[in-house]
Amino acid sequence: MTTESTTAESTTTNSTTTGATTTPAPATDTAAPDATPAAAATTDAAPAGEAAAGDPTAGQTVFAGNCAGCHGANAQGQIGPSLVTADGPKAWTDAQFLTSLREGKTPQRELSAAMPRFSEGQISDADVANIHAYLKTLN
């Protein structure tokens, strides 16, 4: 068994040769501190700007499972009020919408006790942004 090491500026390559098979050794990250590892590119974390914008398709799914029972399938209102009015959640910022779901406070008033206060464990901040994006697509 032989071990070969080759160094080129900031990249180190190690490999172990056994017979005719070469197996790369685990790479040592010698890149600059501000470089992004390739593994980070495959994580589920969305960039900050993207999370704020939300995904309407994902929001529709979360809405159907958590909100439609009271607000209706198209957010037109049933037990709970319509969410598609001009001065409703469609007109709010993401932060205002998040506050309404977490604390039960809209920009205009306190919501009734019938409206659940969802914790982040129940609906993540990203899913709240997705719901808000979905509501903005409705008329």
Side-chain angles (χ1 to χ4, degrees):
M1 182 181 328
T2 61
T3 302
E4 301 171 8
S5 292
T6 306
T7 304
E9 289 191 339
S10 66
T11 305
T12 302
T13 304
N14 294 321
S15 63
T16 304
T17 305
T18 56
T21 306
T22 301
T23 307
T28 304
D29 187 9
T30 58
D34 62 336
T36 303
T42 60
T43 63
D44 293 334
E50 188 176 317
D55 175 359
T57 303
Q60 181 177 14
T61 301
V62 178
F63 183 88
N66 294 280
C67 314
C70 292
H71 294 286
N74 295 312
Q76 299 289 331
Q78 287 181 341
I79 298 167
S82 173
L83 301 177
V84 295
T85 60
D87 62 344
K90 291 174 65 165
W92 303 344
T93 65
D94 285 342
Q96 290 169 326
F97 187 67
L98 179 67
T99 299
S100 71
L101 289 171
R102 298 277 187 253
E103 301 172 23
K105 297 176 185 174
T106 74
Q108 297 86 13
R109 64 185 177 86
E110 178 103 15
L111 297 173
S112 75
M115 171 65 190
R117 275 53 171 176
F118 292 99
S119 70
E120 189 168 357
Q122 294 170 306
I123 301 177
S124 70
D125 287 354
D127 280 339
V128 171
N130 293 340
I131 294 168
H132 196 212
Y134 168 63
L135 292 176
K136 289 180 178 183
T137 68
L138 301 176
N139 293 321

